[in-house]
Amino acid sequence: MRLLTLPLFAVSWIDRLGFGLNGKQSTMVVEGPVAEAQLRLFYVTCWVTLVIFIVVASVLAYATIRFKARTEADEHAEPPEQGHGNPLVEVGLIGASVLALVIIAVPTLKYIWYDYDVPAESKANAYEVTATGYQWWFQFQYPSEQITGSGPLITANELVIPAGRPVHVNLRSVDVMHSFWVPKLAGKVDMIPNRGNFLWLQADHPGYFWGQCAEFCGDSHALMRFRVIALSPRDFQDWLAQQMSPARELSPSSLRPKAQFASLEYHDFAENAPGISGKYEGDNGISPLDQWKQQQFPNKGEDPELIARGKALFVTKTCAGCHTIRQADGKGPMGVTGPNLTHVGARSTIAGGFLDNTPEYMRRWIHNPGVVKPGNKMWVLGYEVNHIALTPEDEVALVAYLQSLK
Ligand SMILES: [Cu+2]
């Protein structure tokens, strides 16, 4: 089997030539056993078909050159005597085809079973999550982390998992069909309305992975993305503890008020401007995973007054009707139409993984979600129906509040 993966060298060379084989969503350079099984199967098929190609192409080339008409006389000559089948050749060809199919079928069956579910011997160690597709974002539930009075821990757009451990992902959909795909780890499996489905995956090492919906699901399908963050067991426990806690509240006395984001100008972003700030591209010398870890800490220079204003606006502007922000007093917003925002400030992306979660991009989103993501429910069922209108001051206060929710 090792031999089969030899072309990995070729992959890295082709990649260096600028063909981008090791992109964020590469299926050629993988980081988990399920995606690796799929890659090996791809190579088996590649090798077998390559051999067939070489044999057929050589015979064709030989025949073309060897029996080419060379003279005027050749061109007008009678065709040679026609053969009517050579039993040896025919049996040989059938035998060779069967052999080729068997070579492909054996690992195919083996990996179909392997990829289907967590292997029996690792079942006890598997971690369970439920991913639900919404037009056009993903919700993630952690059934083994129950919060008293609230049910399971719920997040959105970022699936945080323990590295080195198999993860069993239940797949659900609340509206149309979606498909869950993290190319470097595993995929892709449909999320079907009215029918349970599942897959399993595992990240060999801590890392930051890009995923997306792989089944056309409406206007903003192409903007329905997500991230998978694999953490070491300890970091994962820390993350769980942080997420299980209620929304962060600032006690005004503990902080020195300071204007935050006061200079946050609204840029009239072009309609198709990319949603990435470059933070998670690794270009700034910080790995995407480290960048994500930095996102977990409270921002510097928070302004409690501004944040309190944002918190009030979140209710008066009807945002609370669609979003949950789980508060310690049990009286926070409890909407379920949109993503759970209890710890939205600690996520690296918003709006279905389309926008990096920076204050600027968040302001761009709440200023006019309809421009960023055509047809999305926050715009169609919220801003349009409820006539939500935000002043620039409202926007800045809401952003300050939401960014404080670490
Ligand atoms: Cu989708």
Side-chain angles (χ1 to χ4, degrees):
M1 265 308 165
R2 275 283 126 216
L3 211 73
L4 289 171
T5 53
L6 250 179
L8 271 178
F9 296 118
V11 166
S12 76
W13 272 107
I14 298 172
D15 193 54
R16 255 172 260 178
L17 290 175
F19 289 93
L21 287 189
N22 186 15
K24 289 176 194 162
Q25 302 201 341
S26 173
T27 51
M28 305 296 284
V29 182
V30 296
E31 305 197 32
V34 180
E36 193 178 325
Q38 287 159 347
L39 180 61
R40 283 187 186 178
L41 191 54
F42 169 75
Y43 279 133
V44 171
T45 320
C46 250
W47 281 122
V48 171
T49 45
L50 188 68
V51 170
I52 296 173
F53 174 76
I54 290 171
V55 171
V56 173
S58 322
V59 172
L60 185 67
Y62 172 78
T64 311
I65 295 163
R66 173 75 179 73
F67 301 111
K68 192 171 158 228
R70 282 165 219 281
T71 62
E72 188 80 358
D74 277 351
E75 265 169 45
H76 301 291
E78 288 291 313
E81 198 187 322
Q82 300 295 296
H84 290 280
N86 176 333
L88 209 65
V89 172
E90 285 184 12
V91 171
L93 282 178
I94 293 172
S97 313
V98 170
L99 184 70
L101 286 180
V102 168
I103 293 177
I104 294 177
V106 170
T108 300
L109 289 174
K110 182 177 145 192
Y111 290 138
I112 282 178
W113 277 304
Y114 178 75
D115 288 348
Y116 181 67
D117 202 354
V118 180
E121 66 273 15
S122 327
K123 267 238 158 73
N125 186 31
Y127 192 76
E128 178 112 356
V129 294
T130 298
T132 309
Y134 286 70
Q135 281 173 317
W136 292 278
W137 55 283
F138 289 88
Q139 186 199 66
F140 299 108
Q141 288 191 20
Y142 294 74
S144 42
E145 323 299 335
Q146 292 289 333
I147 300 161
T148 321
S150 279
L153 171 65
I154 296 177
T155 70
N157 298 326
E158 295 189 354
L159 174 60
V160 180
I161 56 169
R165 224 174 126 182
V167 179
H168 183 265
V169 188
N170 299 302
L171 302 173
R172 307 281 183 263
S173 170
V174 296
D175 35 48
V176 298
M177 245 166 96
H178 302 278
S179 178
F180 182 95
W181 191 28
V182 202
K184 278 183 175 260
L185 299 181
K188 46 184 104 151
V189 177
D190 281 347
M191 311 172 106
I192 309 166
N194 301 326
R195 191 181 193 283
N197 210 354
F198 60 85
L199 60 70
W200 79 282
L201 53 78
Q202 179 177 324
D204 288 334
H205 308 285
Y208 185 93
F209 305 96
W210 280 259
Q212 76 174 69
C213 174
E215 177 82 45
F216 178 72
C217 58
D219 294 7
S220 284
H221 158 69
L223 310 179
M224 181 171 171
R225 308 172 189 172
F226 65 105
R227 306 286 188 274
V228 175
I229 291 106
L231 298 177
S232 67
R234 213 186 133 164
D235 285 351
F236 183 64
Q237 286 311 322
D238 287 351
W239 178 81
L240 277 182
Q242 181 207 358
Q243 294 288 315
M244 298 283 285
S245 63
R248 189 168 158 253
E249 309 254 0
L250 297 184
S251 64
S253 55
S254 69
L255 283 153
R256 204 156 32 90
K258 190 176 156 204
Q260 186 199 14
F261 306 138
S263 62
L264 189 64
E265 273 174 39
Y266 180 73
H267 304 280
D268 205 2
F269 291 93
E271 204 156 314
N272 296 317
I276 51 173
S277 61
K279 262 167 94 177
Y280 294 90
E281 316 306 300
D283 297 344
N284 50 3
I286 305 174
S287 79
L289 182 61
D290 287 338
Q291 190 77 60
W292 180 87
K293 286 182 178 170
Q294 288 186 9
Q295 185 78 20
Q296 308 307 302
F297 296 105
N299 301 306
K300 289 195 187 78
E302 293 179 304
D303 177 349
E305 261 162 53
L306 188 63
I307 289 171
R309 208 151 68 232
K311 187 175 169 188
L313 280 166
F314 197 80
V315 176
T316 54
K317 294 291 175 186
T318 73
C319 318
C322 291
H323 294 285
T324 292
I325 296 180
R326 185 168 37 85
Q327 285 176 196
D329 62 7
K331 293 189 173 166
M334 275 295 157
V336 293
T337 309
N340 186 308
L341 301 180
T342 307
H343 298 283
V344 67
R347 301 206 280 261
S348 57
T349 63
I350 55 168
F354 175 50
L355 298 176
D356 279 359
N357 187 12
T358 63
E360 291 80 12
Y361 281 116
M362 189 176 263
R363 179 157 180 204
R364 174 185 173 192
W365 172 254
I366 65 173
H367 177 78
N368 188 334
V371 169
V372 179
K373 238 173 143 171
N376 85 80
K377 301 256 153 61
M378 173 152 155
W379 175 255
V380 176
L381 303 178
Y383 282 53
E384 284 196 332
V385 175
N386 303 350
H387 307 291
I388 299 177
L390 305 174
T391 64
E393 292 74 34
D394 294 346
E395 288 174 8
V396 170
L398 280 165
V399 169
Y401 170 52
L402 294 169
Q403 291 292 325
S404 79
L405 297 175
K406 293 289 179 173

